[in-house]
Amino acid sequence: MQIVTDDDLLRQKYPAKSHVRRVVEYLRNNDEDGLKQQSLDSSLLYLEGTPTKMNEDGDQAAPFRQRRCFYYMTGVALPDCRFVYDVKADKSTLFIPPVDEDDVIWSGMPLSSEESLEQYDVDEVLTTDQLKDFLSKHSSSTILAIDKQVSPDTTFSSTATINTTHLRTAIDECRVIKDDHEIAMIRRANHVSGLAHRDVFRAVKTAKNERELEAIFVARCMREGCRQQAYESILASGTDASTLHYVRNNKDINAGTLNLLIDAGGEYNCYAADITRTFPINGRFTKESKEIYNLVLRMQTECYSMIKAGVLWEDVHARAHKVAIDGLLQLGILHNGTASEIFHARTSTKFFPHGLGHMLGMDTHDTGGHANYSDPDPMFRYLRIRGKLPAGAVVTNEPGVYLCRFILEPALKDETHKKYINKEVLERYWQVGGVRIEDDVLVTKEGYENLTDVPKTVEEMEAIMS
């Protein structure tokens, strides 16, 4: 039996047609809102890619980022494109901009229709000036489009039925379970990002400012084929690591600053990596830093033991909190109560305020998690995944413990929490700032595959920095 490698997969076309068919199948099987079988069979799916946008008060185009729904259905990362799929004919048509002679002078020749047909998994390629006539021939069709993503210049037949209710949900739900090609792209993004993380490990001792380390990370990603970052990198030194999404990345790294938290990931062909490591700037953890670090690593390890298809994510998240409580009791930061009492008081949310993880794919916080940000329970309010994990989903496993004055100082005055927090012991840990450890994880029927290969034990990180 021939083994298909990631390199083999990535040499193939992005499997857009199979994604389109998956979306249609979802629409067939999820008809609660009244999209009838008959109207679906006569439907066109219509999507528009990201249009070219100019910077305000300037003549330069803003950075381009393809709409993720459009990329999922086409694999096309070009601006100003349109896409139509005829459900009954099982035919996909990509519309690309026609050649603009003025633009060619400045930007060179764009892909031709023939080149686009060769590169993308579509059945036909036309130009956008042919779209109006194309749509006019489907006067009896139902047009499924995405709300607020239809340009004013798009003209459908006056007798066509326009439905902007169903398509976005169908695509978002189908994106949850990744196919082999998508997994290969996330694995590649992880590999490249892992190389960049190692470069930062090696450079941190001599870096003078956080921005130097960000530059090192981005440069390695670009050299290895990830030209875009999946999100704005976080390089937080010292106590700024207690800020969950610190993005200033401009502070000097002074003598005596203990640790650096780096949360950064490259993007490979629109698919993201999302990796966090926390490590000592001078190459050796202090006693307090090592204690908090090993606690977070234990939180992550115990969560790994639960991850598999069908597990309730709320249970995994709750387990992380219970491990955190046990560890903070052992360190003396928490006291005057049992682990159960502290858990039910939700005092651990003052040290671990975010959710354990999120869906990952084309977006860093990918679709299909069904978060409930209005949940009155602070333990679950910021949990970005609710319910059972399906096989084929990619999630992050990213527990943390944070010594954040903004959160903990009010808690030390709160009647519910102050009795459980030992202020005197806490004083020894403020300079640790925060520790987060994050991997990207493919959920399988039997368990999981960790897609992230970056050192994370104390011994591994201290060795690479020595």
Side-chain angles (χ1 to χ4, degrees):
M1 179 179 178
Q2 185 176 5
I3 298 175
V4 179
T5 67
D6 285 352
D7 287 341
D8 294 331
L9 288 167
L10 296 176
R11 281 192 289 267
Q12 299 172 9
K13 290 183 180 181
Y14 179 85
K17 192 71 175 285
S18 69
H19 292 176
V20 175
R21 289 169 178 156
R22 187 189 302 175
V23 169
V24 171
E25 188 65 20
Y26 180 92
L27 290 166
R28 291 191 194 283
N29 295 331
N30 294 270
D31 193 24
E32 297 89 348
D33 295 330
L35 181 64
K36 301 303 180 185
Q37 185 71 43
Q38 184 177 2
S39 64
L40 179 60
D41 286 340
S42 63
S43 291
L44 298 181
L45 310 187
Y46 176 77
L47 292 101
E48 297 187 1
T50 303
T52 297
K53 299 174 183 177
M54 305 305 291
N55 288 322
E56 188 176 0
D57 297 330
D59 65 354
Q60 299 293 309
F64 171 75
R65 185 180 189 273
Q66 186 61 283
R67 287 171 172 163
R68 273 18 191 177
C69 286
F70 190 87
Y71 192 88
Y72 184 75
M73 302 284 271
T74 67
V76 176
L78 301 172
D80 303 313
C81 294
R82 313 289 172 90
F83 175 76
V84 176
Y85 175 72
D86 186 324
V87 174
K88 186 175 183 180
D90 185 30
K91 183 178 180 181
S92 56
T93 304
L94 171 67
F95 294 83
I96 61 175
V99 174
D100 182 325
E101 293 183 3
D102 289 337
D103 189 59
V104 169
I105 296 172
W106 299 101
S107 304
M109 284 294 295
L111 282 180
S112 67
S113 297
E114 294 76 18
E115 290 168 330
S116 298
L117 190 62
E118 179 69 22
Q119 184 167 331
Y120 303 118
D121 188 19
V122 295
D123 298 312
E124 181 181 32
V125 179
L126 303 175
T127 52
T128 50
D129 55 357
Q130 297 173 280
L131 178 64
K132 183 176 181 179
D133 288 342
F134 184 95
L135 292 174
S136 69
K137 298 174 183 177
H138 295 82
S139 58
S140 62
S141 298
T142 296
I143 310 292
L144 277 72
I146 295 177
D147 190 33
K148 299 178 181 178
Q149 291 190 12
V150 178
S151 301
D153 63 353
T154 299
T155 304
F156 300 116
S157 168
S158 59
T159 58
T161 301
I162 312 303
N163 180 318
T164 58
T165 304
H166 295 81
L167 184 56
R168 178 61 180 264
T169 298
I171 296 174
D172 284 353
E173 293 303 316
C174 288
R175 282 171 55 183
V176 171
I177 298 175
K178 273 63 178 180
D179 57 38
D180 289 344
H181 194 105
E182 293 177 287
I183 293 166
M185 291 204 287
I186 297 172
R187 191 181 285 115
R188 177 63 60 84
N190 264 267
H191 172 70
V192 170
S193 301
L195 296 174
H197 273 269
R198 287 175 172 85
D199 285 352
V200 173
F201 286 175
R202 297 184 183 101
V204 71
K205 281 186 179 181
T206 58
K208 304 300 183 185
N209 189 286
E210 293 164 346
R211 63 176 170 265
E212 294 178 44
L213 300 173
E214 182 178 20
I216 288 167
F217 185 91
V218 173
R220 185 60 184 266
C221 286
M222 293 187 73
R223 284 203 306 271
E224 301 290 340
C226 290
R227 188 176 181 190
Q228 307 297 329
Q229 295 295 290
Y231 52 96
E232 193 167 357
S233 299
I234 298 166
L235 288 105
S237 59
T239 57
D240 284 320
S242 66
T243 300
L244 302 185
H245 283 174
Y246 170 89
V247 291
R248 292 177 183 173
N249 300 350
N250 63 359
K251 286 195 174 180
D252 289 339
I253 300 174
N254 299 311
T257 303
L258 297 185
N259 305 314
L260 182 92
L261 184 152
I262 173 171
D263 183 339
E267 179 182 293
Y268 184 78
N269 289 351
C270 293
Y271 280 79
D274 185 1
I275 303 169
T276 306
R277 292 293 184 265
T278 311
F279 51 91
I281 289 171
N282 71 359
R284 287 288 181 267
F285 281 105
T286 64
K287 175 180 177 293
E288 289 79 13
S289 292
K290 184 183 291 187
E291 288 169 342
I292 297 297
Y293 187 88
N294 281 331
L295 171 55
V296 175
L297 186 59
R298 188 159 69 250
M299 292 163 68
Q300 191 192 52
T301 300
E302 294 215 17
C303 290
Y304 267 126
S305 71
M306 298 178 67
I307 294 177
K308 65 178 180 179
V311 71
L312 190 67
W313 191 243
E314 288 89 339
D315 290 345
V316 188
H317 177 70
R319 183 60 187 156
H321 274 273
K322 291 175 181 178
V323 176
I325 291 167
D326 288 343
L328 293 172
L329 280 167
Q330 291 173 23
L331 295 176
I333 296 174
L334 294 178
H335 67 166
N336 289 341
T338 66
S340 177
E341 289 169 342
I342 294 170
F343 178 83
H344 287 100
R346 299 312 198 228
T347 303
S348 58
T349 65
K350 304 305 177 182
F351 297 88
F352 177 26
H354 60 79
L356 177 64
H358 51 81
M359 296 290 184
L360 182 73
M362 284 186 283
D363 286 309
T364 307
H365 298 154
D366 212 30
T367 58
H370 305 292
N372 177 14
Y373 299 124
S374 63
D375 193 325
D377 189 334
M379 184 167 287
F380 301 105
R381 184 176 302 145
Y382 300 113
L383 192 60
R384 297 182 189 272
I385 302 173
R386 304 301 293 264
K388 295 181 179 180
L389 296 183
V394 177
V395 303
T396 62
N397 181 4
E398 52 175 308
V401 169
Y402 306 87
L403 296 311
C404 178
R405 289 185 182 273
F406 182 80
I407 297 175
L408 285 171
E409 287 181 344
L412 289 168
K413 301 174 184 178
D414 185 282
E415 293 299 325
T416 300
H417 304 294
K418 68 179 184 180
K419 61 184 176 182
Y420 297 127
I421 303 173
N422 189 326
K423 184 177 180 180
E424 288 70 30
V425 174
L426 182 60
E427 285 294 327
R428 303 203 307 265
Y429 289 86
W430 286 122
Q431 292 305 308
V432 175
V435 172
R436 181 166 64 253
I437 306 171
E438 178 181 19
D439 297 335
D440 302 339
V441 186
L442 172 64
V443 180
T444 66
K445 291 181 180 178
E446 297 79 20
Y448 66 91
E449 177 190 345
N450 186 356
L451 302 176
T452 302
D453 179 20
V454 179
K456 62 180 174 181
T457 68
V458 169
E459 295 75 19
E460 288 172 334
M461 289 192 298
E462 289 185 345
I464 200 173
M465 297 173 68
S466 63

